[in-house]
């Protein structure tokens, strides 16, 4: 199978919204009136972002999910994506499974594959997503104000816990492992939440590198600080059963959660509780924005907690 057969067989689908999809020198899309295009790229490298033995169908899901998560954090609607692949070899079984997982998620969000690039090399997947965001503004990192509540969706730390299990650094029962590995391998992008938060939240970010680091980006961009009630951070029963140190490591600094962290005025509490009910998604208030720079972590007695935590940084 040559490069062009491979593209045709596995990555060419009829497009409905795009004016021109895979097959020419460029794809063509018609920008919509009153919409900004929201564009984001995320790359997954074998051995760095996923185990080489990972199920290719789950990998197809995850590669797109981490990109859709960035659109969710902006409150943008997914529309198109491009796929750049470096593959060690043209393996039909692998490609069939990978493309199945990829298109299942793409179709769930009507997000069309419109182009990409394919080369031989160490397994690397780079996706660029293009979404649409109604003007004037998307949900930015820079809008948090002193007095705002800080919220997170879902439960934090399970992906990091699953990773530690794979590395034999944590123990889990079979049923616990089944649940937490879903968070690591097939995260669900919080698209509906991001869209619903547009009129409610003052800022948002998706948690890909750990709460402390990602909330830190909101604080820096907004020129504010925060107090977090560590005991309020929502964790699964599987994580709650682990040692205190491991719980905090995973929930505060564990990567790959792909939940949203957002800020909103206290006046919006009722609206957010309603939203949680209508989405069937846990939304938890974990702290507040303060005027002074810095992130303070408070234990259950309101005393500063001492953790040495570091968000993931590829070059640190
Ligand atoms: P070029 O020579 O302009 O780089 P290519 O020969 O690499 O074009 O690609 C041919 C067509 O196939 C283009 O439309 C490109 O966008 C598309 N394409 C290549 N690889 C992929 C892929 N992995 N997924 C989707 N489309 C792809
Ligand atoms: Mg090319």
């Amino acid at each position: 199978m040559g490069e062009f057969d491979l593209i045709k067989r596995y990555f060419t689908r009829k497009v409905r919204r795009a004016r021109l999809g895979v097959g020419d020198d460029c794809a063509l899309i018609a920008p919509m009136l009153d919409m900004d295009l929201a564009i984001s790229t995320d790359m997954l490298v074998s051995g760095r972002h996923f185990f080489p033995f990972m199920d290719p169908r789950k990998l197809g899901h995850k590669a797109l999910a981490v990109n859709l998560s960035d659109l969710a954090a902006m409150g943008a609607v997914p529309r198109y994506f491009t796929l750049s692949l470096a593959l060690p070899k043209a393996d039909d079984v692998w490609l069939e499974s990978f493309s199945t997982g990829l298109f299942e998620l793409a179709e769930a969000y009507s997000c069309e594959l419109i182009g990409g690039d394919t080369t031989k090399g160490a397994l690397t997947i780079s996706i660029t997503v293009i979404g649409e965001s109604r003007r004037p503004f998307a949900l930015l990192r820079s809008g948090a104000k002193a007095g705002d509540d800080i919220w997170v969706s879902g439960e934090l730390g399970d992906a990091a816990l699953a990773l530690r299990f794979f590395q034999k650094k944590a123990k889990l029962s079979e049923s616990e492992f089944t649940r937490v590995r879903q968070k690591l391998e097939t995260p669900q992008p919080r698209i509906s939440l991001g869209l619903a938060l547009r009129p409610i939240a003052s800022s948002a970010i998706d948690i890909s590198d750990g709460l402390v680091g990602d909330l830190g980006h909101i604080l820096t961009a907004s020129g504010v600080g925060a107090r977090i009630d560590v005991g309020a951070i929502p964790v699964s029963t599987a994580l709650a059963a682990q040692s205190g140190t491991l719980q905090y490591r995973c929930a505060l600094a564990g990567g790959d959660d792909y939940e949203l962290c957002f800020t909103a005025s206290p006046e919006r509490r009722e609206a957010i509780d309603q939203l949680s009910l209508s989405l069937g998604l846990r939304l938890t208030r974990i702290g507040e924005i303060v005027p002074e720079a810095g992130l303070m972590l408070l234990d259950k007695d309101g005393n500063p907690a001492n953790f040495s935590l570091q968000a993931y940084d590829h070059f640190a």
Side-chain angles (χ1 to χ4, degrees):
M1 179 174 47
E3 176 188 336
F4 299 103
D5 297 328
L6 185 161
I7 296 166
K8 199 161 182 335
R9 186 172 321 165
Y10 296 106
F11 300 112
T12 306
R13 298 267 174 113
K14 223 174 133 65
V15 289
R16 275 166 259 149
R17 182 177 291 108
R19 295 179 45 80
L20 187 65
V22 170
D24 213 306
D25 298 314
C26 292
L28 296 174
I29 57 180
M32 298 244 289
L33 211 62
D34 294 327
M35 292 283 197
D36 287 321
L37 293 179
I39 302 170
S40 179
T41 301
D42 258 315
M43 179 158 71
L44 299 186
V45 178
S46 178
R48 177 148 288 274
H49 300 96
F50 58 91
F51 295 115
F53 54 80
M54 184 171 169
D55 175 354
R57 184 163 171 179
K58 292 178 179 172
L59 187 57
H61 172 106
K62 181 162 178 171
L64 182 58
V66 303
N67 278 279
L68 293 180
S69 176
D70 284 311
L71 291 181
M74 294 300 280
V77 189
R79 295 294 195 208
Y80 315 101
F81 69 107
T82 63
L83 169 68
S84 296
L85 268 181
L87 299 169
K89 58 181 195 293
D91 175 343
D92 272 307
V93 175
W94 190 93
L95 282 160
E96 181 62 44
S97 177
F98 174 82
S99 59
T100 299
L102 180 81
F103 282 114
E104 274 170 355
L105 185 65
E107 273 153 28
Y109 289 99
S110 309
C111 194
E112 296 181 338
L113 179 58
I114 56 168
D117 200 20
T118 307
T119 89
K120 191 165 179 158
L123 180 58
T124 303
I125 306 154
S126 176
I127 288 182
T128 296
V129 282
I130 301 170
E132 284 178 331
S133 160
R134 198 166 288 285
R135 287 182 195 151
F137 286 115
L139 264 184
L140 306 183
R141 296 178 178 185
S142 53
K145 290 183 189 57
D148 281 354
D149 293 324
I150 301 167
W151 297 79
V152 292
S153 66
E155 289 158 347
L156 302 189
D158 277 355
L161 179 58
L163 182 64
R164 279 172 172 76
F165 180 84
F166 276 116
Q167 296 167 331
K168 303 199 161 42
K169 291 181 189 160
K171 290 205 169 73
L172 293 168
S173 72
E174 211 173 301
S175 68
E176 286 173 333
F177 175 57
T178 306
R179 237 169 313 128
V180 299
R181 81 180 293 183
Q182 284 179 10
K183 289 300 295 275
L184 179 67
E185 296 181 326
T186 50
Q188 298 302 318
R190 302 301 188 193
I191 296 289
S192 312
L193 174 62
L195 289 173
L197 286 175
R198 282 289 298 273
I200 296 175
S202 51
S203 73
I205 191 167
D206 68 320
I207 306 176
S208 53
D209 299 329
L211 175 67
V212 165
D214 289 320
L215 174 59
H217 295 312
I218 287 188
L219 303 183
T220 306
S222 302
V224 291
R227 272 201 292 262
I228 295 291
D229 173 5
V230 171
I233 297 173
V235 296
S236 67
T237 50
L239 186 53
Q242 304 292 322
S243 76
T245 319
L246 187 61
Q247 277 183 51
Y248 295 133
R249 282 254 158 80
C250 291
L252 287 164
D256 267 0
D257 279 321
Y258 301 103
E259 295 295 345
L260 296 188
C261 173
F262 58 95
T263 59
S265 149
E267 285 157 36
R268 311 315 300 264
R269 283 178 194 174
E270 221 180 282
I272 294 168
D273 289 337
Q274 277 301 319
L275 184 58
S276 168
L277 283 177
S278 69
L279 294 175
L281 175 65
R282 198 167 166 187
L283 299 177
T284 310
R285 193 150 47 82
I286 60 164
E288 62 171 337
I289 298 290
V290 298
E292 316 80 49
L295 174 60
M296 219 200 302
L297 301 172
L298 303 177
D299 66 18
K300 59 182 185 323
D301 304 315
N303 298 317
N306 245 327
F307 300 106
S308 58
L309 295 166
Q310 200 96 83
Y312 196 75
D313 177 334
H314 282 277
F315 296 103

